[in-house]
Amino acid sequence: MDAREMKIKAAAVALEHVEDGMRLGIGTGSTAEEFVRLLAEKVANGLKVEGVPTSERTARLCVELGVPLKSLDELPQLDLTIDGADEVDGHLRLIKGGGGALLREKIVAAASARMIVIADESKVVDTLGRFPLPIEINPFGQVSTRIAVEKTAERLGLTGQMALRTSGDGLFMTDGGHLILDASFGRIPDAEALAIALNTIPGVVEHGLFIDLATLAIIAGPAGARVIDAKN
């Protein structure tokens, strides 16, 4: 299987967990989009679901394909969120935010009874950090916030370049109007400690460490799909 075929395989297995009448959180990114396409086929054939998208991009695709949507205020408690990840380890700790939707993704995941991660084998790591960690920051005081993040990283023994994400000729802006600081640590031995430390920095809106949120990961590879269960 090529990369897209693996994403479709993971999405198809995740779709088996979707039941009629569910309130779904619908993720962002290339793997999540394959799930939306498969979900739309089921909806066209009579499956009744209501979805809460984690980004404007996902919302547009859902509308285009006929997946019914609600806001999170209309459906504040969700049955299941299905989303991709930029990295996942054996304990279902994740790095997310490569697509810039980490704040909404985390809010939706936290509002869900369960979260299933869909990914291909390339996203599985022993230790998080190979993928740059996205840190969503407020534009106001961005330089001060960056310095605070750098000092926090140094205190935890983390090194590596940090750069504001760009798009075209300017800075990338999230759906919420924030900036993304990508931190290339290379390796994050204690993801929990870093998550707690980043949460104390006032200018940090959210970060891409998703800990204790995913309940299941469906990982597709050339030989098929395997499951990582948080219970194990």
Side-chain angles (χ1 to χ4, degrees):
M1 288 189 286
D2 63 19
R4 186 181 178 209
E5 288 173 328
M6 286 190 281
K7 292 174 182 178
I8 292 171
K9 177 60 178 177
V13 175
L15 189 58
E16 296 173 6
H17 293 262
V18 177
E19 300 174 4
D20 201 61
M22 271 190 166
R23 299 159 296 175
L24 288 177
I26 304 176
T28 296
S30 59
T31 308
E33 287 177 3
E34 299 298 349
F35 171 76
V36 172
R37 293 186 179 95
L38 295 177
L39 177 65
E41 293 177 10
K42 290 281 190 179
V43 169
N45 290 324
L47 179 70
K48 303 295 184 185
V49 295
E50 292 180 307
V52 173
T54 55
S55 67
E56 299 302 322
R57 174 177 168 176
T58 295
R60 287 191 295 269
L61 182 62
C62 288
V63 169
E64 176 187 334
L65 298 178
V67 176
L69 296 181
K70 296 283 189 180
S71 71
L72 191 58
D73 290 332
E74 292 173 304
L75 296 178
Q77 294 180 304
L78 304 175
D79 301 302
L80 174 65
T81 285
I82 295 179
D83 203 350
D86 298 301
E87 282 190 349
V88 53
D89 71 8
H91 299 284
L92 293 188
R93 291 174 292 217
L94 316 172
I95 284 182
K96 288 179 54 56
L102 61 139
L103 174 60
R104 294 190 184 185
E105 287 174 334
K106 191 174 282 190
I107 292 171
V108 169
S112 302
R114 293 185 295 143
M115 178 188 185
I116 295 178
V117 174
I118 49 177
D120 62 74
E121 286 283 1
S122 69
K123 305 299 175 63
V124 180
V125 296
D126 291 328
T127 304
L128 297 178
R130 183 179 65 195
F131 189 91
L133 175 66
I135 303 170
E136 190 162 345
I137 65 173
N138 197 299
F140 178 81
Q142 59 175 283
V143 175
S144 294
T145 299
R146 178 174 179 161
I147 292 170
V149 171
E150 289 171 345
K151 288 181 177 179
T152 294
E154 289 173 5
R155 190 170 66 249
L156 294 173
L158 300 172
T159 59
Q161 291 187 339
M162 297 185 192
L164 285 172
R165 188 177 300 181
T166 58
S167 178
D169 295 329
L171 294 175
F172 175 87
M173 299 292 289
T174 70
D175 287 343
H178 304 127
L179 305 175
I180 297 284
L181 181 65
D182 288 312
S184 300
F185 293 130
R187 193 169 182 275
I188 304 172
D190 193 340
E192 286 84 357
L194 179 58
I196 291 169
L198 290 174
N199 286 339
T200 67
I201 299 173
V204 171
V205 179
E206 192 48 86
H207 54 76
L209 290 168
F210 282 51
I211 299 172
D212 295 329
L213 285 170
T215 51
L216 203 71
I218 298 169
I219 308 298
R226 64 185 177 95
V227 172
I228 304 175
D229 193 326
K231 295 177 182 177
N232 299 326

